């Protein structure tokens, strides 16, 4: 059975929930310029070119801002992050609901530009510091531990426009930000995550047919290296600031299966695990690049800026806790296949042993157990699942109730496999269900792609009262936590 002190909870991110994008001293982030999309049409970034003409560019990794262009807010365009679900103003109401469910831990992120609006200031924004301090105090009022991500797919747009993580100098700005957070929130936060899904820097290039060129890979691996170094700095600073801090890294956890028993498929599957999962995991957990790194770099003529000090820092800044997201599995094959998966962040051959969600994601609870057992065996560190959930369209009935049995089934199936992994010896210490309250979807910008136990009255056009309504899954999760999973 799960440990008696197992950390049950939920997770959201600042950029998908807070809103309040331009008040109390907050600076802009790239997501503030991102439009809404759908499962058929991608989200876009709005800009003005060097002549002042409005336009849009892709949000895909590797897309470069045209020369002379700037990110811009355009008239008559809906930006989902500007309001989110207004967690900024309604956090007390929402935390009270989390407490009613019995949360032991709540994963959230700090918006970097709410602390340092451009990223280069010497002194932090006082309103931003106080806001998060108040959120953490509200959580502690209900004996809920905050689990805080320092960088969750965002940074001040001032740094973005100047190259962001392509510049080594960004490390020092991150260091100042991280040190400020550790210092200001000492005694209020002990569980930290450095970067959300850090492996996506390279992994997303593989997602859509491997069309990226060598230059794009060079930039991606270089950005990733600087982030890994920054992560190691944060671990060291966090431990120096407070020896009680427990600091994790986070991986986008997608297990891969070979499409056939062809030895070429078996080898491709192994190499995909190495590139997508182990490359970052080994650096975060073991403090050094794995032996297969040279093969990965040589595939795309990558020549990284790595100093001896970087290598020392990586060795000295290994994480205490392995955290990861899990939504689906993928199939890889060297053979041409006609039946392929298409959807938001889903690609590759279809697995005919699995069913798929409306957004093209494989429904694979056993994949979660498989991933847990592989990671536990490789790293021998405590593990926490920090994202897992079902995105689905929820319908209110005539009594303003949501009967989301499909979500209960999804979570029950996945948590049952977690239990099997624990019984098999996996050191799993916590689980935070993703989007525990409905938030704006990162992939599509929709509200209709809902994950939460709590319904938020808002549609894909940004209309609604923001009223919070408990779903059937709210009461199920409450019972699950009360019994420490025994209801399964």
């Amino acid at each position: 059975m799960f440990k008696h002190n197992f950390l049950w909870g939920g997770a959201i991110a600042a950029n998908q929930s807070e809103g309040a994008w331009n008040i109390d001293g907050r600076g802009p982030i790239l997501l503030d310029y991102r439009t809404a999309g759908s499962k058929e049409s991608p989200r876009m970034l709005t800009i003005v070119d060097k002549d002042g003409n409005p336009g849009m560019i892709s949000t895909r990794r590797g897309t470069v801002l045209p020369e002379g262009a700037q990110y811009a807010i355009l008239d008559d365009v809906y930006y989902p992050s500007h309001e989110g679900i207004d967690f900024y103003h309604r956090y007390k109401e929402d935390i009270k609901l989390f407490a009613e469910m019995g949360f032991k831990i709540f994963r959230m992120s700090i918006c970097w530009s709410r602390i340092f609006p451009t990223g280069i200031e010497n002194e932090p924004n006082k309103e931003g510091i106080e806001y998060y301090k108040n959120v953490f105090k509200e959580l502690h009022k209900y004996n809920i531990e905050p689990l805080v991500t320092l960088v969750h797919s965002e940074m001040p747009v001032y740094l973005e426009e100047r190259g962001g993580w392509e510049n080594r100098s960004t490390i020092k700005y991150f260091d100042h930000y991280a040190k400020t957070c550790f210092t200001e929130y000492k005694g209020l936060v002990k569980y930290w995550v450095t970067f959300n899904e850090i492996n996506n820097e390279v992994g997303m290039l593989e997602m859509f047919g491997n069309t990226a060129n060598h230059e794009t890979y060079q930039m991606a691996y270089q950005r990733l290296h600087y982030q890994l170094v920054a992560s190691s700095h944060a671990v060291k600073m966090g431990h120096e600031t407070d020896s009680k801090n427990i600091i994790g890294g986070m991986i986008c956890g997608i297990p891969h299966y070979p499409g056939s028993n062809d030895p070429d498929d078996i080898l491709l599957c192994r190499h995909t695990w190495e590139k997508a999962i182990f490359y970052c995991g080994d650096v975060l957990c073991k403090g050094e690049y794995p032996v297969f790194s040279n093969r990965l770099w040589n595939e795309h003529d990558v020549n990284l800026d790595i100093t001896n000090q970087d290598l020392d820092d990586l060795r000295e800044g290994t994480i205490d806790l392995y955290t990861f997201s899990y939504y689906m599995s993928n199939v890889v094959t060297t053979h041409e296949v006609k039946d392929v998966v298409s959807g938001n962040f889903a690609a590759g051959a279809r697995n005919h042993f699995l069913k798929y969600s409306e957004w093209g994601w494989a429904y694979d609870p056993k994949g979660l157990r498989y991933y847990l057992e592989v990671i536990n065996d490789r790293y021998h560190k405590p593990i926490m699942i920090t994202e897992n959930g079902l995105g689905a369209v929820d319908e209110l009935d005539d009594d303003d109730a949501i009967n989301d049995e499909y979500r209960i089934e999804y979570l029950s199936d996945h948590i049952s496999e977690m239990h099997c992994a624990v019984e098999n010896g996996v050191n799993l210490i916590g689980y935070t269900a993703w989007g525990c309250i409905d938030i704006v979807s990162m992939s599509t910008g929709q509200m209709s792609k809902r994950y939460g136990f709590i319904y938020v009255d808002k549609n894909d056009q940004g209309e609604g009262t923001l009223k919070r309504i408990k779903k059937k899954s709210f009461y199920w999760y409450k019972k699950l936590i009360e019994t420490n999973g025994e209801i399964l």
Side-chain angles (χ1 to χ4, degrees):
M1 186 48 65
F2 296 106
K3 298 176 182 179
H4 73 278
N5 57 350
F6 192 82
L7 295 168
W8 296 103
I12 62 173
N15 57 67
Q16 295 168 262
S17 61
E18 277 183 6
W21 76 285
N22 61 351
I23 68 169
D24 292 343
R26 179 188 179 280
I29 60 173
L30 199 58
L31 280 157
D32 295 333
Y33 304 94
R34 187 177 286 192
T35 68
S38 68
K39 61 183 178 181
E40 292 87 15
S41 58
R43 303 183 73 178
M44 303 293 285
L45 288 166
T46 55
I47 63 170
V48 291
D49 66 18
K50 61 183 179 180
D51 299 316
N53 299 311
M56 296 187 184
I57 60 172
S58 171
T59 61
R60 282 191 182 180
R61 290 173 190 266
T63 301
V64 178
L65 190 66
E67 185 176 355
Q70 291 183 315
Y71 300 110
I73 303 299
L74 305 182
D75 294 336
D76 302 322
V77 174
Y78 168 52
Y79 298 94
S81 71
H82 286 191
E83 184 183 47
I85 60 166
D86 198 28
F87 183 79
Y88 189 82
H89 295 109
R90 306 175 74 126
Y91 69 87
K92 290 186 177 181
E93 173 188 359
D94 294 339
I95 290 171
K96 186 176 181 180
L97 289 167
F98 302 154
E100 185 181 340
M101 272 188 283
F103 280 19
K104 312 299 182 187
I105 194 166
F106 174 59
R107 182 188 172 214
M108 55 177 285
S109 64
I110 292 175
C111 178
W112 185 345
S113 68
R114 205 176 284 287
I115 306 300
F116 293 103
T118 67
I120 68 171
E121 292 85 357
N122 290 323
E123 297 298 322
N125 171 34
K126 291 181 179 179
E127 286 117 327
I129 292 291
E130 286 304 308
Y131 166 69
Y132 290 110
K133 194 169 288 185
N134 290 334
V135 173
F136 301 147
K137 288 178 179 177
E138 190 71 14
L139 288 165
H140 282 290
K141 185 171 96 174
Y142 297 101
N143 297 315
I144 300 173
E145 287 283 355
L147 168 61
V148 178
T149 306
L150 289 169
V151 176
H152 193 125
S153 307
E154 64 179 47
M155 69 189 310
V157 78
Y158 180 90
L159 294 178
E160 293 269 16
E161 290 181 321
R162 286 151 183 80
W165 286 107
E166 291 172 26
N167 300 326
R168 178 175 282 275
S169 61
T170 299
I171 297 175
K172 70 179 180 182
Y173 297 124
F174 169 83
D175 287 351
H176 184 44
Y177 161 61
K179 178 67 172 178
T180 299
C181 291
F182 290 135
T183 302
E184 292 286 347
Y185 304 127
K186 182 178 180 179
L188 288 172
V189 180
K190 71 174 181 179
Y191 292 100
W192 299 87
V193 170
T194 56
F195 288 81
N196 179 73
E197 296 185 333
I198 194 168
N199 56 325
N200 278 349
E201 193 67 68
V202 170
M204 285 301 174
L205 299 179
E206 302 286 299
M207 195 66 73
F208 303 101
N210 198 20
T211 58
N213 58 30
H214 287 347
E215 181 181 1
T216 301
Y217 273 97
Q218 168 68 36
M219 294 191 319
Y221 275 111
Q222 189 64 71
R223 287 194 300 266
L224 179 53
H225 173 70
Y226 291 151
Q227 289 171 47
L228 289 166
V229 172
S231 176
S232 73
H233 289 183
V235 173
K236 291 194 290 182
M237 287 187 293
H239 289 157
E240 291 165 0
T241 306
D242 188 345
S243 61
K244 296 179 181 177
N245 279 335
I246 298 170
I247 306 171
M250 186 183 168
I251 298 292
C252 176
I254 302 177
H256 297 83
Y257 305 134
S260 73
N261 57 2
D262 182 339
D264 285 337
D265 277 7
I266 304 298
L267 193 59
L268 174 62
C269 184
R270 176 184 174 88
H271 287 176
T272 303
W273 272 88
E274 289 174 346
K275 189 174 201 172
I277 306 297
F278 298 149
Y279 178 86
C280 288
D282 283 11
V283 177
L284 291 170
C285 294
K286 299 180 178 182
E288 60 184 9
Y289 281 105
V291 293
F292 53 78
S293 297
N294 283 328
R295 187 192 76 244
L296 298 180
W297 296 334
N298 290 339
E299 283 177 1
H300 299 288
D301 295 335
V302 170
N303 185 18
L304 294 182
D305 166 33
I306 301 179
T307 67
N308 289 331
Q309 184 62 54
D310 291 346
L311 298 178
D312 290 341
D313 290 342
L314 294 176
R315 279 191 290 271
E316 295 167 6
T318 55
I319 58 175
D320 308 310
L321 175 67
Y322 185 104
T323 82
F324 70 99
S325 61
Y326 179 82
Y327 296 101
M328 59 183 169
S329 58
N330 278 346
V331 173
V332 295
T333 180
T334 59
H335 300 276
E336 183 177 348
V337 292
K338 294 182 179 180
D339 191 4
V340 297
V341 178
S342 61
N344 294 105
F345 303 126
R350 182 177 297 275
N351 188 331
H352 294 286
F353 293 95
L354 302 175
K355 57 184 179 180
Y356 284 76
S357 77
E358 185 178 347
W359 281 268
W361 291 10
Y363 189 108
D364 186 12
K366 283 188 170 60
L368 176 55
R369 189 211 312 184
Y370 177 43
Y371 190 91
L372 281 165
E373 293 180 0
V374 168
I375 295 304
N376 189 79
D377 184 58
R378 190 175 184 91
Y379 297 125
H380 306 288
K381 288 185 181 287
I383 300 172
M384 188 182 296
I385 301 167
T386 45
E387 289 187 27
N388 174 242
L390 175 68
V393 176
D394 295 328
E395 299 290 345
L396 286 167
D397 66 20
D398 294 338
D399 297 320
D400 266 4
I402 301 102
N403 183 21
D404 56 340
E405 286 282 357
Y406 40 86
R407 182 167 291 108
I408 294 171
E409 179 186 8
Y410 175 97
L411 293 169
S412 180
D413 287 348
H414 284 75
I415 294 170
S416 292
E417 294 297 335
M418 284 164 43
H419 176 255
C420 290
V422 169
E423 291 290 295
N424 290 344
V426 170
N427 186 15
L428 181 65
I429 68 167
Y431 173 85
T432 57
W434 178 247
C436 50
I437 181 171
D438 290 346
I439 55 177
V440 174
S441 168
M442 171 65 78
S443 58
T444 66
Q446 295 173 289
M447 279 298 298
S448 57
K449 185 184 181 185
R450 299 176 183 273
Y451 286 86
F453 305 115
I454 302 162
Y455 184 91
V456 176
D457 180 31
K458 186 176 182 180
N459 64 21
D460 290 346
Q461 292 73 47
E463 303 161 339
T465 65
L466 296 177
K467 179 182 177 181
R468 274 57 168 160
I469 302 170
K470 301 170 190 175
K471 305 178 188 179
K472 186 173 184 178
S473 58
F474 179 101
Y475 302 100
W476 174 85
Y477 198 54
K478 174 180 170 67
K479 189 68 173 178
L480 178 88
I481 295 174
E482 284 176 356
T483 64
N484 199 29
E486 289 185 12
I487 64 167
L488 298 175

